[in-house]
Amino acid sequence: MKAKIRVTLKTGVLDPQGKAIAGALGHLGFGGVGEVRQGKYFEIELAETDRARAAEQVKAMCEKLIANTVIENYEIELA
Amino acid sequence: MKSAVVVFPGINRERDMMLALESVTGAKPVSVWHAETELPRVDLVVVPGGFSYGDYLRCGAIAARAPIMQDIKARAAKGLKVLGVCNGFQILTEAGLLPGVLARNKNLRFVCRQVKLKVENNGTFFTNRMEKGAVVSCPVAHGEGNYICDAETLKMLEAENRVVFRYAEGTNPNGALNDIAGIMNGSGTVIGMMPHPENMIEPLHGRTDCRPLFESLLAA
């Protein structure tokens, strides 16, 4: 089983990298670009075959390491 | 005063820190490799600056989960003094020993310069030889020093006098909330700071402003 995890900054947390990307898009001539928020994407291969147990395991991974829950949210997709 | 300096792969300020500790306290610190599981008997553990694990994932995130950190957390809970500088501060927040996060500098630039540092709390093991409100020069060198935390935590830090150092005279280099440069835990035994006091203690450093910080260790 594979876990796909998206980590994003919580609403309200300043994202200077997103701002820089928005600026660069402007320099390239892309009009109409609003706020840009940058996140992270992870794919983790798991030996676990039980969906519920895998979900629990990946949630623990996110809480303990993958995301810093002070400033980041995470979404898990199992495939 | 026996001290230990923790060394992670990618750390690069451990020698400066060890020299500073030895120069001021007279006792040679022991270096402890991250893969060890037990700390030697010491009065103080310092987590130095650098780029542990190349800042992979998040600054300090991997180092905070290294084997030695389990013992540091256990001993810190029993009152062992812990000082984290720069990447060390990031590691201590990632390890949950200090609240908040050091986020990317607001202006996105790596800053390497001198700042003015104001001592807000002179009752700690690292500031007791300083006057409260004293302003000293201190170098910073970091890309992720923007201290942020939720409003409740910020209120608590301020109310409990847990902001140990603040950037003064408009020198906040990273956008940190309330100009926070260093904080401590509830009992004052764990301190984290972004600036590098170990690089401002010898005449050859240009100034010796931060020497009293290390002298404080002798009284603590």
Side-chain angles (χ1 to χ4, degrees):
Chain A
M1 199 174 298
K2 191 184 261 184
K4 298 179 176 180
I5 304 163
R6 282 202 314 166
V7 176
T8 51
L9 282 176
K10 286 183 178 173
T11 311
V13 175
L14 181 79
D15 183 4
Q17 295 181 97
K19 275 198 175 138
I21 293 164
L25 288 172
H27 295 317
L28 287 170
F30 291 103
V33 174
E35 193 187 20
V36 176
R37 308 277 288 171
Q38 181 181 315
K40 292 174 192 159
Y41 174 72
F42 302 81
E43 288 188 353
I44 300 178
E45 294 204 8
L46 305 164
E48 182 61 65
T49 50
D50 181 86
R51 221 180 155 76
R53 277 203 296 267
E56 206 173 304
Q57 194 185 18
V58 176
K59 186 171 187 289
M61 289 178 190
C62 288
E63 291 285 335
K64 285 187 173 175
L65 178 66
I66 305 295
N68 183 331
T69 55
V70 178
I71 53 166
E72 293 172 331
N73 292 321
Y74 59 88
E75 284 170 45
I76 301 165
E77 184 194 327
L78 290 173
Chain B
M1 213 268 326
K2 283 187 185 166
S3 60
V5 175
V6 191
V7 182
F8 298 95
I11 286 279
N12 60 10
R13 298 294 189 114
E14 78 280 7
R15 280 184 58 81
D16 293 17
M17 182 55 78
M18 290 175 81
L19 286 168
L21 288 167
E22 185 175 356
S23 159
V24 182
T25 70
K28 204 179 174 72
V30 286
S31 78
V32 178
W33 184 236
H34 69 106
E36 290 179 37
T37 51
E38 208 177 319
L39 281 173
R41 287 201 164 275
V42 289
D43 308 303
L44 167 77
V45 174
V46 181
V47 187
F51 298 87
S52 57
Y53 298 90
D55 285 346
Y56 289 178
L57 188 62
R58 299 177 301 274
C59 300
I62 309 286
R65 279 88 182 166
I68 192 63
M69 288 306 294
Q70 289 304 321
D71 198 37
I72 292 178
K73 279 158 92 170
R75 302 271 288 273
K78 291 180 190 158
L80 174 70
K81 294 186 194 79
V82 183
L83 172 68
V85 168
C86 200
N87 192 207
F89 186 12
Q90 296 162 344
I91 292 167
L92 295 183
T93 59
E94 278 283 347
L97 284 169
L98 290 170
V101 173
L102 283 315
R104 185 65 61 104
N105 292 350
K106 202 168 187 174
N107 65 6
L108 274 177
R109 291 194 181 90
F110 187 97
V111 288
C112 184
R113 65 168 91 115
Q114 275 186 36
V115 296
K116 294 289 182 189
L117 206 55
K118 186 177 176 198
V119 178
E120 291 284 355
N121 181 339
N122 70 338
T124 79
F125 69 85
F126 201 49
T127 54
N128 61 65
R129 291 281 174 89
M130 306 287 277
E131 296 282 328
K132 183 176 161 60
V135 176
V136 296
S137 288
C138 192
V140 292
H142 60 252
E144 280 92 356
N146 180 1
Y147 184 81
I148 54 178
C149 60
D150 59 44
E152 209 173 297
T153 306
L154 185 64
K155 209 171 146 190
M156 176 187 72
L157 289 174
E158 295 288 1
E160 295 178 4
N161 206 15
R162 286 169 57 183
V163 176
V164 182
F165 299 104
R166 232 186 276 276
Y167 302 111
E169 300 172 15
T171 61
N172 182 341
N174 51 41
L177 277 175
N178 290 17
D179 297 323
I180 289 174
I183 58 167
M184 65 184 199
N185 66 347
S187 55
T189 51
V190 179
I191 295 178
M193 64 189 298
M194 284 314 296
H196 285 283
E198 74 276 18
N199 292 138
M200 191 111 294
I201 62 156
E202 307 283 356
L204 277 174
H205 290 155
R207 301 174 69 109
T208 58
D209 291 36
C210 295
R211 205 167 173 92
L213 294 175
F214 288 89
E215 287 167 354
S216 301
L217 296 170
L218 294 166

